[in-house]
Amino acid sequence: MSKGKPLKRIAQALERIAPAPLPAPDFSAATAFVWHPDPDRLEPVARVNRIDVALLVGINRSRDTLMANTERFARGLPANNALLWGARGMGKSSLVKAIHGALCPDYPTLKIVEIQREDLASIGRCLNLLRGRDERFILFCDDLSFSNDDTHYKALKAVLDGGIEGRPDNVVLYATSNRRHLMPRDMIENERSSAINPSEAVEEKVSLSDRFGLWLGFHPCDQDEYLSMIRGYCDAYGVTIDDDTLRAEAIEWQATRGSRSGRVAWQYFTDLAGRQGVTLG
């Protein structure tokens, strides 16, 4: 018996067991989708968890830069991939979702597709469902970072550039991270110390960040910005509170959290709205 026949039967059996990829969804049915592998599919999101872009305080430069880049992309013009990096809770992922929501009414073919970091190995298959379509897709990866033994960055790097097919013209990648270089500092130092050529040892991983055309930095907010965020939420949702009370409660709230950020501001406001019986839906 030929040695190739058993291997062929095994391969055929594996193909029968493996779930077949589902067809591309009706992209006109929703503005947002989530990528799930095994089986490969794009699940529509009926209601996106986001706030109005006008409520994002203290990030004006990043907001304007990303808005302009996204609008050019929505119009079919060249646009850059974007890495939003910096302090936790300062609105990186909120900004991506808010800008998409702000542009959707004028650009109905602009869609956002979220992909989880752990699913990056399947990113090429996701792009195959998006490639060549009339819609424009923001491929969004939140909280992107890589550990010492993580190889997912290779799939992402091939998409950003270097792959034979590369990134489709109708797709732009937006990622958020707490780290500018997407890898911990001790990982960089460890690889440098153990390498024959220290500079080349980490170049492949560090250079991943360089493949994003836009780097938008997010820094901790000061107290005035923190209070302005909360006042903006109050005005937008009809929550009434005088300035002195808001200031005293909000500062106490941040002290108990040990930090001050847009996320902490929203958490205090959520508590305030709940106490006043105001819904946020």
Side-chain angles (χ1 to χ4, degrees), residues 194-242:
S194 61
I196 296 175
N197 188 326
S199 61
E200 291 182 1
V202 295
E203 181 179 358
E204 183 179 19
K205 293 178 181 177
V206 173
S207 66
L208 179 61
S209 298
D210 295 337
R211 285 164 168 76
F212 291 89
L214 289 181
W215 284 12
L216 302 177
F218 289 70
H219 309 287
C221 60
D222 59 30
Q223 187 163 283
D224 288 341
E225 289 173 334
Y226 169 71
L227 295 173
S228 294
M229 293 173 188
I230 299 171
R231 175 54 68 190
Y233 296 146
C234 291
D235 294 343
Y237 290 95
V239 173
T240 302
I241 185 173
D242 64 88

Side-chain angles (χ1 to χ4, degrees), residues 146-159:
F146 300 100
S147 60
N148 200 9
D149 57 351
D150 198 335
T151 59
H152 285 126
Y153 74 92
K154 293 182 179 180
L156 181 59
K157 184 178 177 182
V159 170

Side-chain angles (χ1 to χ4, degrees), residues 28-216:
S28 65
T31 62
F33 300 82
V34 176
W35 168 253
H36 295 287
D38 302 323
D40 295 348
R41 65 197 185 280
L42 286 163
E43 293 281 355
V45 178
R47 184 174 181 273
V48 179
N49 178 27
R50 61 184 166 212
I51 63 174
D52 191 275
V53 69
L55 295 178
L56 297 175
V57 175
I59 55 173
N60 293 359
R61 184 174 181 181
S62 294
R63 178 201 63 204
D64 294 345
T65 301
L66 193 64
M67 178 71 81
N69 188 72
T70 309
E71 185 169 13
R72 286 194 295 269
F73 174 70
R75 293 167 55 197
L77 298 173
N80 274 306
N81 300 312
L83 175 63
L84 290 69
W85 68 275
R88 296 184 189 85
M90 281 307 298
K92 299 184 292 294
S93 60
S94 295
L95 180 60
V96 174
K97 292 182 289 186
I99 284 179
H100 172 253
L103 292 175
C104 271
D106 294 327
Y107 301 96
T109 61
L110 181 65
K111 312 294 179 179
I112 188 168
V113 174
E114 184 173 25
I115 182 169
Q116 302 298 323
R117 190 204 66 81
E118 57 268 24
D119 295 329
L120 284 174
S122 64
I123 192 171
R125 304 200 301 272
C126 175
L127 293 178
N128 286 338
L129 291 179
L130 309 181
R131 192 184 305 272
R133 298 193 59 90
D134 293 333
E135 296 86 1
R136 313 285 290 175
F137 297 97
I138 300 170
L139 190 59
F140 174 48
C141 186
D142 193 22
D143 197 20
L144 182 63
S145 62
F146 300 100
S147 60
N148 200 9
D149 57 351
D150 198 335
T151 59
H152 285 126
Y153 74 92
K154 293 182 179 180
L156 181 59
K157 184 178 177 182
V159 170
L160 290 170
D161 70 8
I164 294 176
E165 289 184 301
R167 172 172 62 92
D169 291 338
N170 66 330
V171 176
V172 70
L173 177 65
Y174 288 175
T176 71
S177 177
N178 294 330
R179 297 196 292 258
R180 185 172 185 175
H181 287 299
L182 305 178
M183 57 188 291
R185 184 179 298 275
D186 61 342
M187 177 180 169
I188 297 176
E189 297 305 324
N190 288 341
E191 294 211 15
R192 280 203 179 105
S193 64
S194 61
I196 296 175
N197 188 326
S199 61
E200 291 182 1
V202 295
E203 181 179 358
E204 183 179 19
K205 293 178 181 177
V206 173
S207 66
L208 179 61
S209 298
D210 295 337
R211 285 164 168 76
F212 291 89
L214 289 181
W215 284 12
L216 302 177

